[in-house]
């Protein structure tokens, strides 16, 4: 809708625990924050709102906790998780800022309303095989460059992943397994077309191809 109407898409990322009489939204984790943020970015979001950054007082129906800043204005453990995720977003500014999704697909046994299951190839990939939880797969374009962004649907468990690339594409991996550094490794330079990865809970992979 953002592309169709020429609007900029912003996404709200929940970063506090909310307890209601019949429902509980758990405290954020690094994995859940990554899942929310990088799923949104893969869909073309150009802004992330961390909601709510400062904790709010409880009311008769809701109890709030674990926000990045507590009721006394002090940083909590969540604050450091949010800062970690923000640093990862900044690392991939050239990928996401000003970019748009060309195609978005999903794997796994669950079919989500409004989501399109992956059938066949996408971008440089002839096939993407995952566990039952599935992954989001986005062919993303930015200033003439093409990227493949993969996000684990499961933010509680790791998931095996197998990618089969077209032999006529040079594919560079921009992320590493532990996200400690940018790899910039050509994954199919030796003619190998299939690679295997273990995608951490809520984790993501980013590839660039030519």
């Amino acid at each position: 809708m953002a592309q169709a109407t020429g609007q900029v898409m912003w996404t709200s990322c929940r970063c506090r625990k909310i307890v209601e009489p019949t429902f509980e939204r758990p405290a954020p984790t690094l994995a859940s924050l990554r899942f929310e943020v990088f799923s949104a970015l893969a869909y073309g979001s150009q802004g992330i709102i961390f909601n709510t950054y400062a904790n709010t007082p409880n009311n008769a129906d809701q109890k709030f906790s674990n926000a990045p800043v507590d009721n006394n204005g002090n940083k909590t453990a969540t604050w450091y998780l949010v800062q970690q995720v923000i640093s990862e977003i900044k690392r991939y500014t050239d990928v996401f800022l000003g970019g748009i999704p060309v195609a978005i697909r999903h794997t796994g046994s669950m079919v989500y309303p409004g989501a399109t299951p992956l059938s066949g190839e996408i971008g440089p990939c002839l096939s993407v095989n995952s566990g039952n939880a599935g992954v989001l797969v986005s062919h993303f374009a930015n200033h003439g460059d093409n990227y493949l962004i993969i996000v684990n649907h499961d933010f509680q468990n790791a998931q095996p992943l197998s990618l089969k690339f077209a032999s006529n594409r040079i594919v560079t991996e921009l992320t590493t397994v532990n996200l400690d550094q940018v790899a910039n490794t050509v994954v199919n330079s030796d003619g190998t077309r299939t690679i295997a990865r273990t995608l951490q809970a809520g984790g993501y992979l980013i590839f660039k191809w030519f």
Side-chain angles (χ1 to χ4, degrees), residues 13-210:
C13 174
R14 184 182 62 79
C15 58
R16 63 175 174 172
K17 180 178 180 179
I18 305 174
V19 178
E20 301 175 350
T22 60
F23 191 76
E24 177 178 315
R25 296 171 177 83
T29 64
L30 184 58
S32 70
L33 292 172
R34 278 177 176 156
F35 165 74
E36 287 192 81
V37 165
F38 282 91
S39 293
L41 293 173
Y43 264 90
S45 184
Q46 293 294 291
I48 302 294
I49 302 169
F50 290 96
N51 185 24
T52 298
Y53 206 76
N55 205 43
T56 51
N58 297 334
N59 57 51
D61 298 318
Q62 297 175 308
K63 293 181 172 59
F64 306 104
S65 62
N66 298 88
V69 177
D70 66 20
N71 294 88
N72 297 315
N74 300 311
K75 298 175 183 177
T76 69
T78 304
W79 188 89
Y80 296 96
L81 300 182
V82 169
Q83 293 304 307
Q84 172 63 33
V85 172
I86 289 174
S87 71
E88 293 175 18
I89 296 172
K90 291 173 66 177
R91 181 181 304 166
Y92 301 110
T93 297
D94 290 343
V95 175
F96 294 110
L97 186 61
I100 59 171
V102 177
I104 300 174
R105 299 293 184 265
H106 295 263
T107 70
S109 58
M110 179 70 75
V111 178
Y112 298 94
T116 305
L118 176 63
S119 177
E121 61 187 77
I122 181 171
C125 266
L126 301 178
S127 64
V128 180
N129 294 308
S130 66
N132 288 332
V135 296
L136 179 162
V137 186
S138 174
H139 170 190
F140 204 81
N142 197 345
H143 296 98
D145 292 322
N146 288 281
Y147 302 92
L148 191 74
I149 302 161
I150 300 173
V151 184
N152 191 352
H153 284 164
D154 194 337
F155 55 85
Q156 295 180 314
N157 301 286
Q159 186 173 184
L161 191 69
S162 177
L163 306 171
K164 184 176 182 180
F165 293 111
S167 58
N168 63 341
R169 299 294 188 183
I170 298 175
V171 182
T172 302
E173 186 170 1
L174 302 185
T175 46
T176 58
V177 174
N178 59 12
L179 300 176
D180 285 339
Q181 60 185 1
V182 177
N184 290 315
T185 301
V186 177
V187 296
N188 60 343
S189 60
D190 60 353
T192 300
R193 300 176 66 192
T194 302
I195 66 168
R197 295 289 183 271
T198 298
L199 197 56
Q200 60 186 305
Y204 58 92
L205 296 170
I206 302 174
F207 299 90
K208 183 177 181 179
W209 82 89
F210 307 93

